Amino acid sequence: MIKISKNSIAGLAVLLVLMTVDAVFAQNKVKGNSKFPFHMPEVQLPKFKADTLNILDFGAIPNTNMLCTKAINEAIERTSKSGGGVVLIPSGLWTTGPIKMKSNVNLHTKNGAFIRFTDDMSQYKLINSYFEGSKTIRCESPIMGIDLENIAITGQGIFDGNGMAWRPIKSNKMTAGQWEELVKSGGVLSKNGKTWYPSQGALTGNEEQDKLPKIRTIDNMEPYKQALRPVMVSLVNCKKVLLDGVTFQNSPAWNVNPLMCEHLTINNVNIRNPWFSQNGDGLDIESCRIGKVTNCRFDVGDDAICIKSGKDKEGRDRAKPTELFVISDCVVYHAHGGFVVGSEMSGGVRNILAKNLTFIGTDCGLRFKSTRGRGGVVENIWVEDVRMSNIPTEAIRFNLYYFGKNAIEDPVTGELMVESMPVTEETPAFRNMYFKNVFINGAKQAVKIMGLPEMPVENIQFKNVFALSEVGMQINYAKQIVFDNVDLSLEKQDFSVKMANSQNVSFQNFNSIGQKQLFLIGGDSTKTISLNSKNKKMDFQDIKIPETIRSQVELID
């Protein structure tokens, strides 16, 4: 009889995991063409007649505070009714209320065109709209289009949403001098004096919910409309959309939000918000199919490039995943997250390729987040060729326990120990993701993975990751995770990797310098761990681990 050791069984299990992961990605690559790891349809671009109408011919007056709303919208309406074409906004300062896009119209802005949306709240009607993944009453967006086809906003102009007229601001996001000037400008303060609001209605709508109508209607919410901040660019259920060359900045809430759109092209666009802007997301692609985001720049107050698909039951019932997107050649400066999936992802996210991205000073680089109650599946995500510098938190973060509470710490690793719950349609799942060629020059932490005990983050492969960071990696509630050719240079004398409650995790060609010890492993459910160092022969002196799970770890020469 041939005796097989537990370590050999563990090694065989890890080998099977590696083969499975490689097979998954190979299979997906076969399905697509040479450029993409999945079948990526050609993104259809809108086409327009050459006919051009100038807003000057409709009575628009530049370089004044006179509203051009009527002129712009009449030009758009006329162009659409005549079969389509171009509406031209020449150079100059233009003040306007909401712009309403129509099918077959290219709203083209000349270099030097600065379109500023008015702070006159009476210009923005309350409507039934969407925000943060849910149907809700909201003010009209500065730029909006619903059920349209063949539309574009192009040129070199700047659209400014005048967000300071809408947004609350927290005192800890400003210097003492800035805060003093803001308070002197008017508005009202919260009871604790730490948040400024532009009006009493805005304060009541945000902080005094008990004073709001129990059954909310467009009419009875009018006094609180300044709290119902719109996204700046709202395109709902539109097909063949092009945003090219323009700048969108200073939005009331989210900046650009395509929702349930198909064939979306965003190219050479600048999206900017003050770093302190509340809900100041850059681009929120929500429940959309087939698109490209290329060569864009982001400097915003919340997440930058966000992939979403609705929130909780409403998102699950909508059942429209965001899928078939390529995001490439983009730069993110300040943002809460550079490339982000979630947390409103209840309709699912799949078949996304993100490549050649640069994050400079972004709070978190690659950010994946959800929580119990969301449901939805995020899968088949490829991220390649990413550079990060000066990241204040984690360079790569998975958190499926977003907003979670009431957890205790693992006595060995200090990781959160979360009570397992039954798997239901409300359980989010993140799986089948591939990260390749990630370079991190300065971060608080290189990688943090926090799944759920009932639904671990699953089937993730990291290849060629090089990180200079304060500390290394944390892994909790994960399975089928492969790290291949990871190199850490750590600034703090801590463990390179802390791991708990995880299964089938493999480190191949792993190297780390600057740590006090390589691995800290705990968690009663931890099993089948394989460790290999490319520069030294590992032994159990490199690992702090309870004897109860030591047999689950195999050291490979």
Side-chain angles (χ1 to χ4, degrees):
M1 179 180 292
I2 299 175
K3 294 184 178 180
I4 301 176
S5 69
K6 291 182 179 178
N7 283 348
S8 297
I9 294 173
L12 179 60
V14 170
L15 179 61
L16 290 173
V17 169
L18 294 177
M19 293 172 63
T20 300
V21 171
D22 288 340
V24 168
F25 294 118
Q27 183 183 21
N28 279 310
K29 287 182 179 180
V30 168
K31 290 179 181 178
N33 58 35
S34 60
K35 290 184 179 179
F36 309 110
F38 49 85
H39 176 70
M40 180 66 195
E42 191 70 28
V43 182
Q44 297 175 21
L45 288 168
K47 297 179 180 180
F48 306 96
K49 292 166 59 178
D51 299 357
T52 301
L53 295 180
N54 193 316
I55 64 170
L56 288 170
D57 297 330
F58 289 79
I61 301 176
N63 306 317
T64 72
N65 287 325
M66 294 183 62
L67 292 180
C68 302
T69 316
K70 183 178 179 182
I72 294 173
N73 286 326
E74 283 187 353
I76 290 173
E77 182 77 20
R78 179 87 60 86
T79 300
S80 180
K81 285 185 176 180
S82 65
V86 179
V87 171
L88 178 66
I89 301 182
S91 300
L93 172 64
W94 309 92
T95 304
T96 182
I99 294 174
K100 299 180 181 180
M101 295 294 295
K102 299 291 182 180
S103 292
N104 302 311
V105 173
N106 176 7
L107 182 63
H108 184 74
T109 60
K110 285 289 189 180
N111 190 357
F114 183 82
I115 302 97
R116 188 169 187 263
F117 291 93
T118 181
D119 60 3
D120 178 3
M121 294 295 121
S122 68
Q123 299 297 313
Y124 302 91
K125 297 178 182 178
L126 286 177
I127 60 172
N128 291 308
S129 185
Y130 299 85
F131 187 60
E132 293 188 330
S134 301
K135 293 180 180 179
T136 184
I137 295 173
R138 217 75 185 172
C139 286
E140 289 180 310
S141 290
I143 301 174
M144 58 192 301
I146 302 174
D147 299 330
L148 306 180
E149 187 166 351
N150 213 53
I151 60 173
I153 302 173
T154 63
Q156 295 178 282
I158 299 171
F159 291 88
D160 188 293
N162 208 350
M164 288 293 290
W166 297 87
R167 293 189 302 262
I169 298 176
K170 296 178 180 179
S171 60
N172 62 2
K173 293 191 174 184
M174 310 193 85
T175 66
Q178 290 171 330
W179 179 251
E180 183 178 355
E181 288 299 314
L182 179 64
V183 172
K184 285 181 180 178
S185 71
V188 295
L189 293 178
S190 59
K191 289 182 180 179
N192 63 10
K194 294 182 179 181
T195 304
W196 175 89
Y197 290 92
S199 68
Q200 181 60 47
L203 184 151
T204 301
N206 279 279
E207 294 199 5
E208 299 174 342
Q209 298 283 316
D210 58 316
K211 294 183 180 180
L212 298 180
K214 292 183 179 179
I215 299 176
R216 300 177 187 181
T217 67
I218 288 174
D219 290 336
N220 65 25
M221 289 300 291
E222 182 70 25
Y224 317 104
K225 68 186 303 181
Q226 212 160 359
L228 305 176
R229 297 175 288 137
V231 302
M232 181 172 165
V233 182
S234 175
L235 302 173
V236 181
N237 198 34
C238 298
K239 295 181 179 180
K240 289 191 285 188
V241 177
L242 172 65
L243 305 178
D244 192 300
V246 294
T247 295
F248 299 108
Q249 67 178 34
N250 198 17
S251 58
W254 291 357
N255 204 312
V256 178
N257 179 207
L259 170 64
M260 296 183 289
C261 294
E262 291 189 9
H263 294 285
L264 173 68
T265 302
I266 302 177
N267 188 46
N268 298 318
V269 168
N270 295 302
I271 297 182
R272 304 172 63 242
N273 274 336
W275 75 271
F276 54 78
S277 54
Q278 193 80 4
N279 308 110
D281 288 18
L283 171 64
D284 293 275
I285 300 172
E286 185 175 0
S287 294
C288 294
R289 295 188 72 251
I290 310 172
K292 292 185 179 181
V293 179
T294 308
N295 197 33
C296 295
R297 302 293 182 268
F298 299 84
D299 195 340
V300 296
D302 208 312
D303 291 331
I305 306 167
C306 315
I307 310 298
K308 300 177 180 288
S309 61
K311 184 176 181 180
D312 300 342
K313 185 178 187 302
E314 188 172 322
R316 297 193 299 272
D317 290 346
R318 181 195 295 167
K320 290 182 178 291
T322 292
E323 60 183 342
L324 301 170
F325 268 82
V326 176
I327 297 160
S328 64
D329 309 311
C330 294
V331 177
V332 178
Y333 297 96
H334 186 273
H336 288 181
F339 173 75
V340 182
V341 177
S343 69
E344 303 91 358
M345 38 58 70
S346 301
V349 175
R350 63 195 181 202
N351 293 334
I352 307 290
L353 171 62
K355 64 178 183 177
N356 197 27
L357 307 179
T358 302
F359 307 139
I360 304 172
T362 311
D363 288 354
C364 177
L366 301 169
R367 188 181 189 193
F368 301 83
K369 54 182 178 176
S370 189
T371 191
R372 287 167 171 162
R374 291 281 191 266
V377 177
V378 176
E379 61 185 349
N380 301 341
I381 311 294
W382 282 261
V383 181
E384 301 178 358
D385 303 325
V386 177
R387 298 155 298 278
M388 309 186 204
S389 178
N390 191 27
I391 306 299
T393 64
E394 298 89 3
I396 304 173
R397 179 198 302 162
F398 285 84
N399 186 2
L400 272 65
Y401 199 58
Y402 196 54
F403 305 123
K405 298 178 181 179
N406 301 323
I408 59 175
E409 291 186 354
D410 184 287
V412 175
T413 64
E415 298 289 344
L416 292 180
M417 297 176 64
V418 180
E419 183 180 356
S420 183
M421 301 286 288
V423 174
T424 70
E425 66 174 10
E426 297 184 356
T427 307
F430 283 62
R431 65 195 184 203
N432 301 345
M433 302 188 195
Y434 180 68
F435 300 84
K436 181 180 180 182
N437 302 337
V438 180
F439 304 93
I440 303 158
N441 184 19
K444 184 174 182 180
Q445 185 168 41
V447 177
K448 184 172 184 178
I449 299 176
M450 177 68 188
L452 295 169
E454 68 271 19
M455 188 64 71
V457 175
E458 181 178 3
N459 204 16
I460 314 295
Q461 184 173 352
F462 299 86
K463 187 170 185 178
N464 304 337
V465 177
F466 303 89
L468 170 62
S469 57
E470 291 186 18
V471 296
M473 302 182 180
Q474 287 178 275
I475 305 166
N476 199 11
Y477 299 117
K479 70 178 182 180
Q480 291 182 224
I481 312 295
V482 176
F483 294 93
D484 184 2
N485 195 30
V486 172
D487 210 315
L488 304 179
S489 179
L490 307 180
E491 297 176 353
K492 286 191 175 181
Q493 291 284 310
D494 199 355
F495 292 90
S496 296
V497 179
K498 296 180 180 179
M499 186 190 317
N501 308 305
S502 298
Q503 303 85 41
N504 300 321
V505 179
S506 170
F507 282 82
Q508 306 173 67
N509 300 312
F510 177 68
N511 185 58
S512 180
I513 60 172
Q515 71 284 341
K516 71 177 182 181
Q517 200 168 354
L518 285 178
F519 289 91
L520 174 62
I521 301 175
D524 293 340
S525 62
T526 293
K527 62 182 180 180
T528 318
I529 310 299
S530 173
L531 307 177
N532 165 257
S533 174
K534 62 182 174 182
N535 290 329
K536 59 169 290 187
K537 182 177 180 180
M538 291 183 58
D539 58 43
F540 276 94
Q541 291 182 355
D542 295 311
I543 305 168
K544 182 177 179 180
I545 183 172
E547 285 296 327
T548 53
I549 60 171
R550 181 167 172 160
S551 63
Q552 294 296 328
V553 176
E554 181 181 19
L555 307 183
I556 300 177
D557 293 340

